[in-house]
């Protein structure tokens, strides 16, 4: 799954979540989709990009207006329950990094002919 978003205009914050999944589904996909929908309704949410490989390694980067918006998302009750399930069932390992983005650039390139 790849969810692309237009890069917000700096400055903003990025929450970088990397993980390695356990074996078994345990309702993971449905909960992940529900969390994306829920996050998109939160004040200060700017977008999200996510990818997972066949071996269960994944990275999700969510973009936020401020550290206060990130903290409010962390306190969301449904998100808290999903994090608890992640620790108990879905992830063999994970890491969360929060970064301020002051510069961003890129372009959409045409595929080679």
């Amino acid at each position: 799954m790849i969810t692309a978003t237009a890069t917000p205009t700096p400055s903003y914050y990025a929450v970088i979540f990397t993980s390695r999944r356990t074996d078994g589904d345990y309702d993971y996909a449905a909960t992940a989709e529900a969390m994306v929908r829920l996050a998109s309704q939160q004040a200060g949410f700017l977008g999200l990009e996510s990818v997972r490989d066949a071996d269960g390694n994944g990275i999700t980067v969510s973009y936020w207006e401020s550290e206060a918006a990130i903290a409010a998302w962390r306190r969301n009750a449904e998100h808290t329950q999903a994090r608890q399930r992640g620790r108990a069932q879905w992830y063999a390992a994970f890491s969360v990094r929060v970064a301020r983005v002051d510069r961003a650039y890129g372009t959409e390139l045409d595929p080679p002919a």
Side-chain angles (χ1 to χ4, degrees), residues 15-79:
V15 176
I16 306 156
F17 177 73
T18 56
S19 63
R20 186 174 68 249
R21 287 283 314 281
T22 59
D23 291 333
D25 184 62
Y26 307 108
D27 237 7
Y28 179 82
T31 302
E33 289 176 19
M35 289 302 101
V36 171
R37 283 192 305 275
L38 185 61
S40 69
Q41 298 169 7
Q42 301 299 301
F45 178 79
L46 300 174
L48 176 134
E49 297 172 308
S50 186
V51 65
R52 184 166 302 281
D53 70 15
D55 294 326
N57 298 302
I59 183 167
T60 298
V61 182
S62 59
Y63 302 106
W64 300 87
E65 288 179 354
S66 65
E67 288 186 277
I70 295 167
W73 170 237
R74 183 164 171 71
R75 289 189 304 268
N76 178 284
E78 289 178 67
H79 182 221

